[in-house]
Amino acid sequence: MTTLTGTGGLVRLILRRDRIILPLWIVLLCAIPISYVKPYADLFPTAESRLKYAGNAGFITLYGELSGTSLGEFVTWRLGFVPVMVGLISLLTVIRHTRVEEETGRSELLGSSVVGRHAGLAAALLTTFGANLLLAVLLALGMNSQNLPMSGSVAIGLEFASTGCLFAAIGAVAAQLTASAGTARGIAISVLGAAYVLRAAGDTSDHTDGPLAWLSWLSPIAWAQRIQPYGDNRWWLGVLVLAATAVLVAVAIYLSVRRDVGAGLLPARLGPAEGNISSPLGLAWRLHRGLLVSWIAGLAVLGLLFGGVAKGVGDLMHDDPAIQEMFARLGGSAGLIDSFFAGVMTIIGLIASAYAVQATLRLRAEETSGRAEPVLATATSRLRWAASHLAFGLLGPALALLASGVTAGLAYGIAVGDVGGQVPRLIGAAVVQLPAVWLLAAITIAIFGLFPRLSPIAWAGPAICILIGFTSAGVQLDEWVKDISPFSHLPQLPGGSTEAGPLITLVAIAVVLGLVGLVGLRRRDLPVG
């Protein structure tokens, strides 16, 4: 039996398990770029207007340097954060189908059949690489359908797909290092975050003639962005990214041989000689704490980044009505800086909703892994067990949003000399996102309680909201389409008026859906495989 025996069957199994979420993220990440072309052509019809918009240091920090002034180059530049999303989804997909499978014991069960040593890793990588290839093809065809050159359209597909494949390989390496899926995600996401920070620091330093421009070349995200679709089309950089991917895949395979199934190369931290977990909440804290700290730190960094560039963005917006109109579509009604912050706080809220869904779905992971049964075999009720995890799904996003509001307020307040005035305003703008975040968490609870096998569908909620949010930044959507997203019903803070009615309504719907899910959990069998 070869080490790859059974890879085809495992690929089919992954495709069956991800038959909903896989097409969803491919379509989402194709639709966002395509939807930007015509609106940005209308908003910025001349090379001068595009150059003026992209020349702000704040935007360079967020998206990188503009390589040229053609429409294709401008749209590609404005999409600078989307390859990061592709990389994040890719690494999470690989870890889910490698380390999570080992942690739950499913890979050991499959390994007892005619399945080779490397079949699981190969199947996860092949599926993720194939999804990125399909994304590249659909994106190239879609961008070309918007009257953009085919060569540039193929290049932007290469930029997105090569980034996704590279971070899929990073996820594969991280999965070999630790026995915990949560720790593996933390390692891989930290690498992704470091790559983004290096790119941002290097590009910002280059724009200001600083000494740190070389930092960008340490970031694979910068390598992919410097392919420069619709401009120079530097294919060799795409080849460089794919070569790095091949090296990382080889490293992952080498590391997998040097460890036991279910174990990681890094030694597991020994626990205390005597157990000290005395409650379901204590166990939930042990399971969620790494994820909670990571998300709080991540949103705090985002708040710091947005707060730091806000003053420069305001200076740019002041002189250009087209930019003012675009930010007004994101949300906000009182002042240019308020419009900017209202928009970015919505983005941070959308990101926080992904954490809420992830933390809530931990209930399903505990059920399918078999860890829920020993807990429920004690005097712990189902509702108490569920509540211990929901505390993190509901309160965790609140802490993360609070952190982003504090750091944004501090960064902007220091820049304008008004820390005491800006911190409370931006905390309010961040925390007001909670009702929409809680509603998506409640939808997850309802699906888990009533239809546990369909739990992955819960990811459709944040995905649809992100699609609507990103598209509405450049496209004038019909009101009924925007109303699908709960985030469109929130007060646009700071600067806008606060109405309690929509907030109460969203919270009430969330409470009802959550109760329906908990009732379903009490009445159904457990576990349901």
Side-chain angles (χ1 to χ4, degrees), residues 255-275:
L255 294 179
S256 70
V257 176
R258 299 177 62 84
R259 65 177 182 84
D260 293 331
V261 175
L265 284 177
L266 299 178
R269 186 175 62 180
L270 296 178
E274 296 182 4

Side-chain angles (χ1 to χ4, degrees), residues 268-294:
R269 186 175 62 180
L270 296 178
E274 296 182 4
N276 56 7
I277 298 177
S278 59
S279 67
L281 185 60
L283 176 59
W285 164 250
R286 179 70 62 87
L287 296 171
H288 284 269
R289 61 186 179 185
L291 188 66
L292 176 63
V293 171
S294 299

Side-chain angles (χ1 to χ4, degrees), residues 468 472 475-484:
I468 293 173
S472 63
V475 180
Q476 192 63 46
L477 297 176
D478 292 336
E479 286 300 320
W480 71 267
V481 176
K482 291 193 289 187
D483 287 343
I484 295 174

Side-chain angles (χ1 to χ4, degrees), residues 25 30 167 229 285 304 307 315 344 364 406 412 465 473:
W25 72 258
C30 280
F167 282 98
W285 164 250
L304 188 66
D315 295 339
V344 299
R364 179 61 178 165
V406 170
Y412 180 59
C465 292

Side-chain angles (χ1 to χ4, degrees), residues 331-334 338 342 425 432 489-503:
S333 56
D338 287 348
R425 296 175 73 244
V432 81
H489 301 281
L490 299 174
Q492 303 302 315
L493 299 178
S497 59
T498 304
E499 297 181 5
L503 300 178

